[in-house]
Amino acid sequence: MRKKIIAANWKMNMTVGETDAFLENFLLEVNDDLGVDVVIVPPFTSLAKAGERLANSSAVKLGAQNMAFQKNGAFTGEISAAMLRDLYVRYVVLGHSERRTLFGETDEIVNKKVKAAHEASLKPILCVGETLAERDANRVEEVLETQLRGSLAGLSSKELLETVIAYEPVWAIGTGRVATPEQAQAAHAFIRKTLAAIADQAVADKVRIQYGGSVKPDNAKTLLGQPDIDGALVGGASLDPRAFAEIVKAGVVTE
Ligand code: 13P
């Protein structure tokens, strides 16, 4: 049985003060014994404050939205894995479609980041997903397979087991146009099949695959009830502590 993992990707939102207020409210809504892993992924500037707030929570962990693959040095504006570890970060979102399309990240770059994360004992949340044009051209499986094989190249089975995959169809991100449970389930099943081909079935059966793209309190339960959907990566709805807590609770009911 795969434990559900629900993550809040705040993107470029939330000041330090807003982070503090959010977590104060959110922690009143969720118990540590929910049986669900929860990850808060604030902007870099809020990681230290969020870490302070989450220090006593065993269910709610800290994640970062990106990192450099280089260890240190002359890389102005970049953040290393060691810097994240220093702030008690456990997860790092890598290869988000916004990084791929707006900041030119290729599968090769994402692969270097995934490897650097594992070297530093950070768990990557690797994002994959097709655009609308690719879906319309019946290229979903080809796109997912290319992204998975490229981004996960050279990982050991142990590292794959410590990796979370997030299926985020680009056309569903921030659009209010959520994938149907059937569309999402079909993509997740294909991702698991690809993981079995990359590693083996035993590994594929254990890797957690999140769905992301317009997840809201009113659609979370149905999505999380699909056999291969093991969690959610939530953008817009994760900015409201009540709404995000409802989505987390939707993960508990379907356990
Ligand atoms: P929305 O939930 O706002 O569609 O964003 C999804 C996302 O990109 C999470 O990483």
Side-chain angles (χ1 to χ4, degrees):
M1 189 68 182
R2 295 178 294 267
K3 193 173 180 186
K4 294 269 194 290
I5 177 164
I6 316 281
N9 177 10
W10 288 353
K11 308 191 179 185
M12 198 171 74
N13 296 290
M14 299 284 216
T15 61
V16 173
E18 286 164 348
T19 299
D20 203 28
F22 176 104
L23 289 174
E24 185 176 9
N25 287 311
F26 178 69
L27 292 172
L28 294 174
E29 304 265 348
V30 295
N31 304 324
D32 259 359
D33 53 6
L34 285 175
V36 174
D37 287 333
V38 180
V39 187
I40 301 289
V41 189
F44 292 127
T45 46
S46 283
L47 284 171
K49 174 56 76 182
E52 272 171 39
R53 278 276 177 199
L54 299 179
N56 296 320
S57 173
S58 61
V60 188
K61 300 278 189 278
L62 198 52
Q65 296 178 17
N66 181 30
M67 60 167 232
F69 60 78
Q70 296 93 343
K71 281 199 163 63
N72 58 7
F75 301 102
T76 301
E78 292 294 303
I79 302 280
S80 73
M83 291 169 186
L84 298 179
R85 290 282 308 177
D86 204 27
L87 295 176
Y88 306 103
V89 170
R90 307 288 184 86
Y91 292 86
V92 58
V93 174
L94 294 174
H96 191 280
S97 66
E98 288 149 20
R99 303 281 338 155
R100 291 176 187 265
T101 58
L102 302 172
F103 300 97
E105 291 194 14
T106 60
D107 287 330
E108 194 185 349
I109 292 171
V110 175
N111 181 235
K112 286 183 183 171
K113 293 187 176 196
V114 169
K115 286 178 174 164
H118 281 300
E119 272 171 37
S121 299
L122 289 167
K123 295 183 187 9
I125 297 179
L126 169 69
C127 303
V128 294
E130 81 287 356
T131 62
L132 189 57
E134 289 163 341
R135 175 163 284 267
D136 287 345
N138 275 324
R139 292 185 50 220
V140 176
E141 295 193 348
E142 172 200 332
V143 169
L144 293 179
E145 181 162 3
T146 302
Q147 290 177 342
L148 288 167
R149 286 193 181 275
S151 307
L152 298 173
L155 292 201
S156 66
S157 293
K158 188 163 169 281
E159 287 169 332
L160 281 171
L161 290 171
E162 297 288 321
T163 303
V164 176
I165 309 292
Y167 169 61
E168 297 209 315
V170 178
W171 48 272
I173 296 176
T175 57
R177 187 180 161 191
V178 65
T180 65
E182 294 75 23
Q183 285 173 325
Q185 166 56 28
H188 282 231
F190 178 77
I191 289 169
R192 204 174 299 288
K193 190 173 138 196
T194 306
L195 291 172
I198 291 172
D200 58 49
Q201 193 63 47
V203 169
D205 284 341
K206 288 194 188 117
V207 174
R208 295 185 290 181
I209 309 173
Q210 297 176 310
Y211 169 79
S214 297
V215 176
K216 308 285 176 213
D218 63 1
N219 60 29
K221 203 173 157 189
T222 320
L223 286 162
L224 291 167
Q226 301 303 308
D228 285 294
I229 301 188
D230 310 312
L233 183 54
V234 188
S238 76
L239 297 172
D240 176 67
R242 276 263 171 88
F244 186 57
E246 275 188 57
I247 293 170
V248 168
K249 287 172 194 166
V252 178
V253 179
T254 55
E255 279 281 290

